[in-house]
Amino acid sequence: MLTLRNLTCGYGRTPVVHDVNLDVGTDQVVAVMGHNGAGKTTLLRAVVGLLPAMTGTIELDGRDLTRTPTHRRIAHGMAYVPQGQQCFAHLTAGENLRLVADGRKHGKTLIDEQLDRFPALRPLQNRQAGLLSGGQRQQLAIARALITEPRLLILDEPTEGIQPNVVAEIEAAIVDLARSGLSVLLVEQHLGFALQAAAQYAVLRSGRVASHGATGAGARERVREAMAI
Amino acid sequence: MDLLVGQLFTGLSTGSILLLAALGLSLTFGQMGVINMAHGEFIMAGCYTAYVVQQIAGDAGVSLLIALPLGFAVGGAMGLVLEALLIRHLYHRPLDTLLVTFGVGLILQQVARDVFGAPAVNVSVPPALRGGVDLLGVTVPKTRLFIMGLAIVAVTAVALVLRFTPAGRRIRAVVGNRDLAETAGISSRAVDAGTFFIGSGLAGVAGVALTLIGSTSPTTGQSYLVDAFLVVVAGGLGRIKGAVVAAVALGATQAVFETYSTASLAKVGVFIVIVVFLQLRPQGLFTLRTRSLA
């Protein structure tokens, strides 16, 4: 599925993430953890093409996407839910979804499927997305990503800054998606959820992979040690 | 009463001309943030398109009908080329964009001078649009009514495209958050090019309309450029309804000042009103309400 080899990326000429090797297998959830500033978001932005790779390669199902523009990576099967419950604030919730469904076969069905997944969004379709709560905006962001029918879903701190009852709903949706056969690359601060949802983990420290492996027995301790908690 | 109605129509008429000139700019500057100083020359290109079509077609009515869509295509094509060759490489560099497009504007003026000559040329008004119509005791020139109608059609069309079509949603999405739009699978470069085409095409339409009320020279468009920018800024960046209200308000203000002074002093009065207004409300008439800026 997703293969990163010796990926170095950053801002301008300053590398932030160094020589990262990471694999996300088909139907697999991989959690990337680390402190603030460790390079997690930078890594995801490079994977999806919002930052250029300085060196190294990004492959999806054997296809080299290292120099491919973001919208083409989405067409190849990646979907990205950025940090901070981002939505198109001046479009309605419904327009946020239609924007992605436009031009797709069965676009309306795809929207309906996501409204079934996040029923709270159904009555809010005519509301300006910028006026929704943080939790509603995050559900909208995940729904929007899923309408692109991805094979790999990339989530950047999906539960950060969201009220606890909605966090549970979002976590349940992610677990459900993983069970349905979607590959997921997840950046998550909540250790418990990350290790529960993922089969593999990687800990970033100062932009380098400090620890990685399966999330089975002893993983929590290894992660805590790598993060120096 | 007659004076008031007369001024009202003059204001609406001036406002619709301003609006036609500013509508394209509200897309390229208001929505995309590109300061295109060559926008006036796209208007001028629309004027000369009307002139050339009339030279070929002969009949004033038929040539107007041909010139309106052709003016859109000519303005749009010029915008597309400018965007692809220069502006695309200067996004996020507004001062460079301003200087480069100012230079392009001067080049286009010189090209017009070389091709059509420095003296102004005239386009015949179709017989159906000659004369005036009595409205509430005031005689309103038919050409002005036509321009008002054209402005209404153009604004409605732009608003409907932006609000209800997939292309309009994509434009609003890229304007709102370029990176997020890319992650939604939208090619922001293609959308930029499309938006610039429409915005510049509208300048071409404005140019065709302006030939009905005045002569055309290489500097015709330049005289509308500052007013067009004023309309977009005063209306609130990226807000079509803001541009409509600002254009009509500016037109009415100018008409009222002109009643009691000269055209030059009226211009000074309009500038003073705008300076005071923007001091009180720098964001313009209409702004966007959101919980977050994302």
Side-chain angles (χ1 to χ4, degrees):
Chain A
M1 172 56 63
L2 179 72
T3 310
L4 308 182
R5 286 291 168 265
N6 306 110
L7 181 65
T8 297
C9 53
Y11 301 90
R13 291 179 183 173
T14 311
V16 172
V17 170
H18 309 265
D19 278 326
V20 167
N21 290 292
L22 190 73
D23 292 281
V24 181
T26 306
D27 306 348
Q28 197 178 45
V29 180
V30 173
V32 176
M33 289 167 279
H35 287 302
N36 286 340
K40 307 182 296 293
T41 296
T42 305
L43 175 69
L44 295 196
R45 286 175 64 81
V47 169
V48 83
L50 293 175
L51 283 176
M54 292 171 170
T55 58
T57 57
I58 300 162
E59 288 185 7
L60 187 69
D61 287 334
R63 186 195 292 257
D64 187 354
L65 299 179
T66 314
R67 304 279 167 236
T68 306
T70 300
H71 68 275
R72 297 294 309 156
R73 298 189 197 199
I74 303 302
H76 285 307
M78 280 188 190
Y80 175 54
V81 178
Q83 198 176 18
Q85 307 110 36
Q86 290 190 38
C87 58
F88 298 103
H90 52 308
L91 270 65
T92 65
E95 285 175 330
N96 267 265
L97 301 178
R98 282 201 294 282
L99 180 73
V100 198
D102 285 336
R104 285 180 188 277
K105 265 188 182 177
H106 317 299
K108 198 173 177 318
T109 313
L110 290 168
I111 292 176
D112 269 340
E113 281 172 13
Q114 297 316 316
L115 292 176
D116 289 342
R117 187 184 304 279
F118 299 112
L121 295 178
R122 204 176 273 282
L124 301 172
Q125 285 195 79
N126 292 324
R127 188 169 300 179
Q128 193 182 313
L131 300 177
L132 301 179
S133 72
Q136 290 162 345
R137 283 207 307 272
Q138 187 64 303
Q139 291 180 334
L140 184 63
I142 297 173
R144 194 181 58 230
L146 292 173
I147 288 173
T148 64
E149 299 181 281
R151 286 173 287 137
L152 171 70
L153 179 63
I154 301 168
L155 295 159
D156 193 353
E157 307 217 14
T159 58
E160 183 201 26
I162 290 171
Q163 62 267 38
N165 61 323
V166 182
V167 167
E169 278 178 39
I170 290 174
E171 287 180 352
I174 294 168
V175 170
D176 182 45
L177 286 166
R179 283 192 188 134
S180 71
L182 190 67
S183 302
V184 179
L185 178 58
L186 170 72
V187 160
E188 180 58 64
Q189 294 272 24
H190 295 144
L191 210 63
F193 171 63
L195 293 177
Q196 174 215 331
Q200 296 279 326
Y201 76 88
V203 176
L204 281 186
R205 198 165 64 199
S206 302
R208 296 178 193 278
V209 176
S211 171
H212 67 96
T215 54
R220 180 179 287 268
E221 288 67 34
R222 290 196 300 276
V223 169
R224 291 175 77 90
E225 189 184 340
M227 290 177 72
I229 297 175
Chain B
M1 179 64 189
D2 281 0
L3 183 68
L4 187 70
V5 174
Q7 287 309 319
L8 179 73
F9 275 116
T10 310
L12 278 176
S13 160
T14 312
S16 9
I17 294 163
L18 282 179
L19 184 57
L20 268 181
L23 191 59
L25 206 62
S26 77
L27 285 175
T28 56
F29 175 52
Q31 302 268 349
M32 296 168 71
V34 172
I35 303 174
N36 176 20
M37 298 295 284
H39 186 82
E41 278 59 51
F42 295 165
I43 294 176
M44 176 266 285
C47 295
Y48 280 114
T49 302
Y51 172 72
V52 170
V53 169
Q54 194 162 86
Q55 297 299 308
I56 296 167
D59 182 85
V62 173
S63 66
L64 179 63
L65 288 177
I66 297 170
L68 281 171
L70 194 63
F72 183 86
V74 168
M78 289 172 72
L80 213 53
V81 171
L82 181 68
E83 200 275 339
L85 292 183
L86 294 172
I87 291 174
R88 172 168 299 181
H89 309 287
L90 298 172
Y91 283 123
H92 311 299
R93 290 164 63 183
L95 288 178
D96 294 344
T97 311
L98 188 151
L99 282 174
V100 165
T101 54
F102 183 69
V104 168
L106 291 179
I107 292 169
L108 290 174
Q109 282 180 31
Q110 190 55 45
V111 168
R113 227 169 259 126
D114 290 344
V115 175
F116 300 102
V121 295
N122 282 304
V123 176
S124 303
V125 175
L129 294 179
R130 285 176 199 156
V133 176
D134 281 337
L135 282 174
L136 304 170
V138 178
T139 304
V140 183
K142 286 181 188 172
T143 49
R144 298 257 168 182
L145 283 176
F146 177 79
I147 288 176
M148 277 185 220
L150 188 63
I152 291 169
V153 169
V155 167
T156 309
V158 169
L160 289 177
V161 165
L162 284 180
R163 182 80 180 83
F164 293 110
T165 67
R169 277 194 283 276
R170 285 196 290 274
I171 290 174
R172 289 188 291 145
V174 171
V175 167
N177 190 329
R178 180 170 293 266
D179 279 355
L180 195 62
E182 279 279 334
T183 68
I186 297 166
S187 166
S188 55
R189 282 197 159 191
V191 170
D192 285 340
T195 310
F196 222 81
F197 177 78
I198 298 171
S200 308
L202 288 166
V205 171
V208 174
L210 289 174
T211 60
L212 297 173
I213 55 165
S215 54
T216 297
S217 76
T219 54
T220 297
Q222 207 179 30
S223 52
Y224 289 96
L225 186 68
V226 174
D227 285 343
F229 270 109
L230 286 181
V231 165
V232 177
V233 172
L237 289 183
R239 312 299 285 167
I240 301 288
K241 67 179 170 186
V244 174
V245 175
V248 173
L250 282 184
T253 310
Q254 188 153 336
V256 169
F257 280 145
E258 273 181 22
T259 314
Y260 302 105
S261 65
T262 65
S264 301
L265 275 177
K267 206 77 175 171
V268 173
V270 168
F271 281 146
I272 290 172
V273 168
I274 287 180
V275 167
V276 172
F277 171 74
L278 289 177
Q279 286 291 322
L280 298 172
R281 200 173 162 78
Q283 71 274 38
L285 280 170
F286 295 96
T287 49
L288 208 59
R289 287 178 307 117
T290 62
R291 281 191 186 192
S292 74
L293 292 174

